[in-house]
Amino acid sequence: MGGVPPAPHTIHSYEPLVMPGLLQTPAYAEAVIGETNPDITAEQAANRLEVRLRRQHRAHHPARPFRLWVVLDESALHRTVGTADVMCEQLEHLERISAQPHITVQILPHAAGAHPGLSGQFSILTFSDNDAGVVYLERFTSDLYLEKPADRQPYHFMYDYLQAQALAPEQSRRFIRDTIRIHKRTS
C-alpha cells in the first residue's frame, strides 16, 4: 500500500558541517550539491536541488508546519559553501527562519570542545507526542533509519547532551549575526 509517508511531528537534527537541507537557501543548496558531488551531471544536480526545495516547501507549509529543532556546530557557519555572498545570504536566512515559533536553532560553539556529535550528522524524527521516533542517518551513498529502541536510545542521549552544550536560541541568533559580519568582510 505505498503512498506518501506521514509527515513528522518533530525533527531534532544535529549537523556538524553544513546547514540542514530543510534550512538551505536555493543558492547554498545548489553549491552544496555541486561541491560535494563533483562527478554528477548538471541534470542530476538540478534534480537533487528540485527534490530538496520541494521537501522544504512541504516542511514549511503554513497549514501544517512541524517542529524543527536544530543543533548546528559552529563549523557549519564558518565553512564557506559557494561564495562569501552565498554564505551571507544563507546565514541571514538562518537567522530569520530561526525566529519562527516552530523552528529552534542552537549553535554548538567550538569552545564546547570534543563531544559525541563529532561522529556525524543525525536526525530524530517523531510522528506524535508519544512516539520514540526513528533515527535518520544521511550518508554519501545511502541513508539509514534506526528503529530498534537499543539503536535509537544513544542518539536521544547524544542529542540531549548536544542541546545542553549549545548556546541558547537568542545567543545563537547573535552568534549567527556575528558570523555574517565575518563573511561580509571576506566578500
Side-chain angles (χ1 to χ4, degrees):
M1 202 185 255
V4 177
H9 177 269
T10 304
I11 296 178
H12 289 90
S13 182
Y14 169 69
E15 289 284 351
L17 300 173
V18 296
M19 298 295 148
L22 291 174
L23 300 180
Q24 293 175 359
T25 63
Y28 184 94
E30 183 177 25
V32 164
I33 291 166
E35 293 172 6
T36 61
N37 301 285
D39 61 337
I40 65 172
T41 66
E43 182 181 352
Q44 290 170 320
N47 288 339
R48 287 184 187 187
L49 178 61
E50 181 184 338
V51 168
R52 184 162 301 173
L53 297 178
R54 235 184 336 200
R55 190 178 301 142
Q56 282 183 13
H57 179 70
R58 280 197 313 253
H60 300 295
H61 193 282
R64 51 182 160 63
F66 57 81
R67 181 83 175 92
L68 177 61
W69 197 307
V70 175
V71 175
L72 188 60
D73 192 279
E74 177 181 347
S75 298
L77 278 67
H78 293 292
R79 181 176 313 284
T80 302
V81 173
T83 65
D85 289 339
V86 167
M87 283 304 299
C88 287
E89 176 190 47
Q90 174 61 55
L91 293 172
E92 288 165 352
H93 172 71
L94 182 66
E95 180 190 8
R96 274 190 312 276
I97 204 163
S98 71
Q100 293 185 10
H102 65 285
I103 297 175
T104 301
V105 174
Q106 289 183 267
I107 305 302
L108 183 63
H110 289 156
H115 54 79
L118 293 176
S119 62
Q121 172 278 345
F122 66 94
S123 295
I124 302 168
L125 292 72
T126 56
F127 298 92
S128 67
D129 285 332
N130 59 356
D131 178 27
V134 172
V135 174
Y136 170 65
L137 304 171
E138 184 178 352
R139 299 298 181 241
F140 187 68
T141 59
S142 63
D143 301 330
L144 180 63
Y145 292 90
L146 305 177
E147 299 179 27
K148 294 178 185 172
D151 294 335
R152 291 189 321 247
Q153 195 59 41
Y155 287 93
H156 285 275
F157 287 133
M158 187 177 356
Y159 193 83
D160 290 346
Y161 177 86
L162 296 170
Q163 188 178 353
Q165 296 300 309
L167 301 174
E170 186 51 45
Q171 290 175 303
S172 294
R173 279 192 287 282
R174 282 194 299 273
F175 195 96
I176 293 166
R177 285 190 293 272
D178 291 344
T179 308
I180 291 168
R181 286 192 278 280
I182 293 169
H183 282 285
K184 283 187 176 184
R185 285 195 299 259
T186 64
S187 62

